[in-house]
Amino acid sequence: MTDSATQAEVLQLRTQLREWNYRYYVLDDPSVPDAEYDRYLRQLQGFEEQFPELVTEDSPTQRVGSKPLSQFSQVTHEVPMLSLDNAFDATELVDFDRRLRGRLGEPDLAIEYSCEPKLDGIAVSLLYRDGILERGATRGDGTTGEDITQNVRTIPSIPLQLRGDGYPQILEVRGEIYMPLAGFDQLNRRALEKGEKVFVNPRNAAAGSLRQLDSRITAQRPLEMCCYSVGLVQGGQLPPEHAAVLDCLHRWGLRINAESQVVTGVEACEQYYESLAERRDSLPYDIDGIVYKVNRLDQQSRLGFVSRAPRWAIARKFPAQEEMTQLLDVEFQVGRTGAITPVARLEPVFVGGVTVSNATLHNADEIERLGLRVGDFVVVRRAGDVIPKVVSVVLDKRPGNSRAVEFPSHCPVCNSATEREPDEAVIRCMGGLVCAAQQKAAIKHFASRRAMDIDGLGDKLVEQMVDEGLLENVASLYSLHKDQLMALERMGEKSADNLLAALAASKDTSLPRFIFALGIREVGEATALNLARHFGSWPELVAASEESLLDVDDVGPVVADHLRQFFDSTSGMAVAEALREAGVRWPDIEIAAESVLPLSGQTWVVTGKLELMGRNEAKAALQTLGAKVAGSVSAKTHCVVAGPGAGSKLAKAQDLAVEVIDEITFVALLEQHGEKK
């Protein structure tokens, strides 16, 4: 038997762990380090091992079952889980609103709607009895689902015991279990490292995780749940508005979507759709549309249901991000580092709001993983501005005349030999600057906005000048003459003058931009900035040993090796010196201790669209001043720079009382510290 002091300590540990769990997984506001949470959890585990009679089903230690199931049992939903009708454009949404006003007998009524992102996940039901999680089930056919209680218990954002008080004796919570994009990418990276099959998309990954008979496997998957409604409610009363019900669920410890919003009238619904569609690709999870629900529950009751869907709700769908089409051929492109990339030539298909005819295939390993053959029917995915990619092969539709994809043994541009290093997935052309494709790609990169920012030097003009023999490398740009330019097709005197002026202006640059512009393998903008801040000058950087390079933030053995290869290369350094002789110049950077930089020790977040500078430029300026730039807002965030279109990050900053400034104030701050656009 245990004494009252032990029981009280166990209760205190459980209460504290639940509170920390709620702050971490539901509020996205961790209040203690992971190590502290782990210490409390180990203490609780120790007590429960010593006193098994103290173990309860809602204890934080009881999330993962010890024995796999042999099969899932069936669950009958006391209140059916209905599907939703769809609206595919604004006209259909207006018709939906008109029908509702007619059924309510108030044709001039401006209906209040709850607008919520439609998460692309798996619909589930959670049954709480007296605040304790009793059962989790899939939607199934709406009437009968599968009992997945062991698996939902492993999801940290699902409380095993509700917080606070006031909840009904029996409460069925409904929501979507999904996999955030960052977790999905990490899961697939781990699978590739182990030589295992990867998931096609986050929804498939979430579904596969919930179908595991062994909850220990589910526990390793980065799943979350977001609530969107309730089903069976007994022994208690809920508020009379849908949005207020969601607020109650949030107060009781369940996650709801921060993007949800109550609006009045169908025009406001359309504005919400446009706003979220614009920010869709910056969200940390996949959504495939918006769900509109009449907010007042009494109006929902009057409107009722039709067939298997409520009359008072509708889903406004976004353009599809996945479609099926046929692979017509595979061609090969050569990049600035010689990497030969296979590109799928597709039967054109409308996906993600645009017509797609090409998609990346990455490398030979990816083609092998997909089991891809020319002629196959494939699933193509496109999300916003992301390059379309082939994600799977539809084997059931494989034609009899399909053929294997063969990688070239020689460069398709310069016919130089190709090689594949043992530890790399990429096949490379070994032609170097002999290869016109590598010349063109290197010059395009050098002239890009984030590098030397040479206005007017577009891709087609670069290709034309390389083909005409005017350019051998990036240093050749500064030897161009007006008569050479005017001899080019569609190049008049004014255009030639403008380009020469842009080239002259680009000579005044910064050390980070110069390092990035050289196109050294694996050296991106952030790494170039860290190198410049660490060494201060070009000669110091060039003379740095591999060991010294490893002291720089964001530089590992691979990057250090690429840097030393470039600095030890006669051809690479000849180009760099030719650029300096041509007049490319920059001020050295005074190396300051991190502690004396103006924003040292501060964490900033940049969100929304910045109109005076790009977000990458803003982040680089903050890093130069010593700030850490994070991708999410927490209680530790010092300040948020919010441009137009800022969404959930802005809302969370306001909730946490984090300082928020607009772009004008931000630019003034940069100028105050000597960092200008």
Side-chain angles (χ1 to χ4, degrees), residues 494-506:
K494 185 174 182 181
S495 297
D497 286 338
N498 288 341
L499 179 56
L500 290 172
L503 284 165
S506 72

Side-chain angles (χ1 to χ4, degrees), residues 515-536:
I515 297 168
F516 175 63
L518 290 174
I520 303 168
R521 282 178 62 187
E522 307 289 343
V523 177
E525 285 181 277
T527 304
L529 176 63
N530 289 337
L531 288 166
R533 287 173 56 185
H534 186 89
F535 292 103

